[in-house]
Amino acid sequence: MKIIYHLILIVSITFLASRKNELPINLKVDNLRCEMLSNPEGIDVLNPRLSWEIKGKHRNIKQTAYQIIVSSSLEKLKADSGDLWNTGKVNSNQSIHTKYEGVPLKKSMKAYWKVKIWANNGKSKWSENAYWSMGLLQYKDWKGRWIGFDYAFP
């Protein structure tokens, strides 16, 4: 009887250990940043760097690929239309300082973006939406006059 008990125990442990990599993991992409800021306004970098964090309940989660979509409007982003940039699936573990390489950005432009990742044990859903806006990029874009006295004190 002991032999049968031990045999069932060994088979059960072996079976559960072999299914470890098949267990679904709950991946979430969070804390989206552009130029190390959350939803920055008025950046002056023509190819901003995008970063994100991966959160999950399991240990040893390793990103194997990502996809970034950047759109000119929130509606297009929700429709998964990357009219500014769609990377497609990129096989890479990079999740920090991923350089924007889409349509050239212009002054005062707003860009909405989201990302999803593939990991060693599954893939995430799309992240929450994030955005960044471009500032004034050239000296000639600035309009206005100096505020102050027009003459020096006597």
Side-chain angles (χ1 to χ4, degrees):
M1 185 69 181
K2 277 186 169 182
I3 295 174
I4 293 174
Y5 173 74
H6 288 294
L7 185 60
I8 291 173
L9 184 63
I10 290 171
V11 169
S12 299
I13 291 172
T14 305
F15 176 74
L16 290 175
S18 69
R19 294 190 43 87
K20 177 182 165 192
N21 288 337
E22 296 176 18
L23 295 174
I25 59 174
N26 189 12
L27 288 176
K28 182 178 180 185
V29 181
D30 199 19
N31 196 16
L32 274 65
R33 295 175 312 281
C34 174
E35 287 299 312
M36 296 170 274
L37 299 168
S38 179
N39 297 330
E41 298 282 352
I43 65 170
D44 61 352
V45 179
L46 293 175
N47 295 96
R49 297 164 297 173
L50 307 174
S51 304
W52 56 88
E53 293 177 6
I54 303 164
K55 296 189 178 177
K57 293 183 180 180
H58 297 352
R59 294 181 179 198
N60 198 26
I61 298 171
K62 296 177 184 172
Q63 176 183 306
T64 58
Y66 66 84
Q67 181 178 3
I68 301 172
I69 292 180
V70 183
S71 300
S72 58
S73 72
L74 197 52
E75 293 77 25
K76 289 180 182 177
L77 186 68
K78 288 180 181 177
D80 296 338
S81 171
D83 62 329
L84 297 179
W85 191 38
N86 185 345
T87 63
K89 184 177 178 180
V90 177
N91 291 322
S92 171
N93 64 356
Q94 183 174 1
S95 64
I96 58 170
H97 303 305
T98 303
K99 191 174 178 182
Y100 171 83
E101 295 176 347
V103 173
L105 300 169
K106 298 178 176 130
K107 69 175 180 174
S108 304
M109 185 179 199
K110 200 164 198 173
Y112 299 89
W113 70 290
K114 62 184 177 180
V115 63
K116 73 175 168 181
I117 62 117
W118 286 260
N120 53 342
N121 289 353
K123 71 176 186 176
S124 73
K125 295 180 181 177
W126 285 107
S127 67
E128 295 293 320
N129 302 330
Y131 70 90
W132 78 83
S133 70
M134 299 302 292
L136 301 177
L137 303 174
Q138 305 292 327
Y139 178 75
K140 64 183 178 184
D141 295 337
W142 291 88
K143 307 290 182 210
R145 291 183 24 221
W146 182 258
I147 299 174
F149 290 110
D150 290 337
Y151 57 89
F153 286 107

